[in-house]
Amino acid sequence: MKIVLLIINIYWLYITSTIASTAFYGLNYGINRDACPDLDNLDSDFKALSQYASHVRVYSVKDCDLGKNALLAAQANGVKLYMGMWVDKTDSFLQELVSLKKLVSDYNVQNIEAIIVGSEVIYRGDVSSDQLTEYINQVKEIVHPLGIQVTTSDVYYKFEHNVVSAVDFIMMNAFPYWEGANINEAPNTLFEHYMHVKSLSNGKIVRISETGWPEEGAVFGDSIPRSDYQKDFLLSTLCLAKRNGIDMFWFSAIDEPYKTGVEAHFGLLDTNRQLKSLFSLDRLNNPC
């Protein structure tokens, strides 16, 4: 028994030291549902991502058996998981709920930090805030006894009082690129949006669940997709986050060529799972 406890303690010391030394709090990991990655794919990807982030976020439990595979890949590579549940105008939530119940019944879910019920569902108008609050409360009944927190993720100007009251903490999306911001103004724009959400958070923790800048694609207002601008925005926002104690998820972990246009080019890593050429691990760890 002492040997088993020693092994467990060493494992968690390893995870703690890994989490303390990573550049990012979190990275958003998307998948192509028309070409589902298997467990080996996820294990390889999460191994790459663990060099840069202590947490990885996925967007579904049910799609491509992502709940199980992401959980196992995260455990194998010493990262914490933010498990998303996809919510839209179909019965997706009910399907996600079935998959979530099975996941927490069949597996050790100790490394799931939080469940994210929906991504930008209020922004898209897929459900009302009352319906989303009901979904959040249903999930809390399942995972709170396991020590897992529950939240949702939405754009910074779409948080309503009942949703803020229901979540354990707040996750906000903000993309100055999509607002047409000049690159020199974009980091401060992001910080202003964060402070706006902080002002209505009722004292709850606010985390940036998505922000990023593309290196290729169409110009949007004064926002220009360029590799050096992606680097500038990333390092500036990392610096702001570290100096202000903000947990930030970068969008996205890896370029996603299955998407069209500019949305394919937000990745920290390229499609070969290599850090893009203008970045270095040392610079990411010391962005200021």
Side-chain angles (χ1 to χ4, degrees):
M1 177 63 74
K2 289 181 179 179
I3 293 174
V4 172
L5 290 174
L6 178 61
I7 291 171
I8 292 173
N9 287 334
I10 291 172
Y11 172 73
W12 281 107
L13 282 171
Y14 163 74
I15 289 180
T16 303
S17 64
T18 301
I19 288 173
S21 64
T22 53
F24 291 89
Y25 179 81
L27 292 169
N28 289 285
Y29 180 82
I31 62 164
N32 181 358
R33 289 182 292 181
D34 295 324
C36 290
D38 61 18
L39 178 56
D40 288 341
N41 296 141
L42 265 76
D43 182 64
S44 178
D45 284 351
F46 280 33
K47 182 178 181 180
L49 300 184
S50 68
Q51 300 174 73
Y52 309 106
S54 56
H55 298 75
V56 176
R57 174 196 180 187
V58 297
Y59 287 80
S60 175
V61 186
K62 67 177 180 64
D63 290 346
C64 300
D65 210 10
L66 188 57
K68 180 194 76 174
N69 289 338
L71 178 67
L72 296 177
Q75 289 173 346
N77 291 285
V79 296
K80 292 280 192 175
L81 195 63
Y82 275 61
M83 182 72 71
M85 298 176 69
W86 189 255
V87 177
D88 55 28
K89 292 179 180 178
T90 70
D91 65 347
S92 59
F93 173 74
L94 296 178
Q95 295 180 43
E96 291 279 351
L97 194 64
V98 169
S99 296
L100 178 66
K101 288 178 178 178
K102 180 171 176 53
L103 184 73
V104 301
S105 173
D106 293 351
Y107 292 92
N108 179 348
V109 294
Q110 186 176 9
N111 68 313
I112 296 181
E113 186 100 348
I115 304 295
I116 306 172
V117 184
S119 175
E120 297 188 346
V121 295
I122 301 298
Y123 170 72
R124 293 195 305 271
D126 287 346
V127 299
S128 68
S129 62
D130 287 340
Q131 185 66 72
L132 179 58
T133 298
E134 182 179 329
Y135 290 166
I136 290 167
N137 288 331
Q138 287 184 54
V139 175
K140 285 164 72 173
E141 290 181 4
I142 297 167
V143 302
H144 266 189
L146 301 171
I148 299 172
Q149 294 187 307
V150 182
T151 188
T152 188
S153 172
D154 221 310
V155 295
Y156 67 92
Y157 55 88
K158 281 292 184 180
F159 284 97
E160 299 185 32
H161 176 74
N162 55 346
V163 174
V164 171
S165 297
V167 297
D168 293 317
F169 61 92
I170 297 173
M171 296 193 80
M172 54 155 280
N173 297 350
F175 287 85
Y177 167 79
W178 289 118
E179 298 177 61
N182 182 281
I183 187 62
N184 296 317
E185 302 166 354
N188 285 333
T189 298
L190 174 66
F191 187 67
E192 289 169 3
H193 296 334
Y194 171 84
M195 293 305 296
H196 165 72
V197 177
K198 192 74 175 171
S199 71
L200 53 81
S201 67
N202 294 336
K204 294 182 178 181
I205 291 172
V206 177
R207 295 187 168 108
I208 298 174
S209 43
E210 290 183 13
T211 195
W213 196 277
E215 65 170 347
E216 295 181 32
V219 173
F220 193 83
D222 290 332
S223 298
I224 303 172
R226 282 176 30 177
S227 297
D228 56 334
Y229 286 180
Q230 185 183 59
K231 181 194 76 170
D232 290 347
F233 182 75
L234 187 152
L235 293 175
S236 296
T237 54
L238 260 184
C239 181
L240 276 171
K242 289 180 182 294
R243 284 181 171 172
N244 292 280
I246 301 169
D247 299 329
M248 182 181 77
F249 282 78
W250 180 258
F251 184 89
S252 59
I254 304 167
D255 275 345
E256 301 173 286
Y258 54 90
K259 294 182 177 178
T260 58
V262 70
E263 294 200 1
H265 304 289
F266 278 83
L268 174 71
L269 308 185
D270 62 26
T271 54
N272 294 317
R273 279 51 181 172
Q274 298 299 311
L275 189 64
K276 289 181 176 176
S277 61
L278 293 185
F279 299 118
S280 70
L281 183 56
D282 179 67
R283 192 74 176 92
L284 292 174
N285 285 326
N286 300 280
C288 299

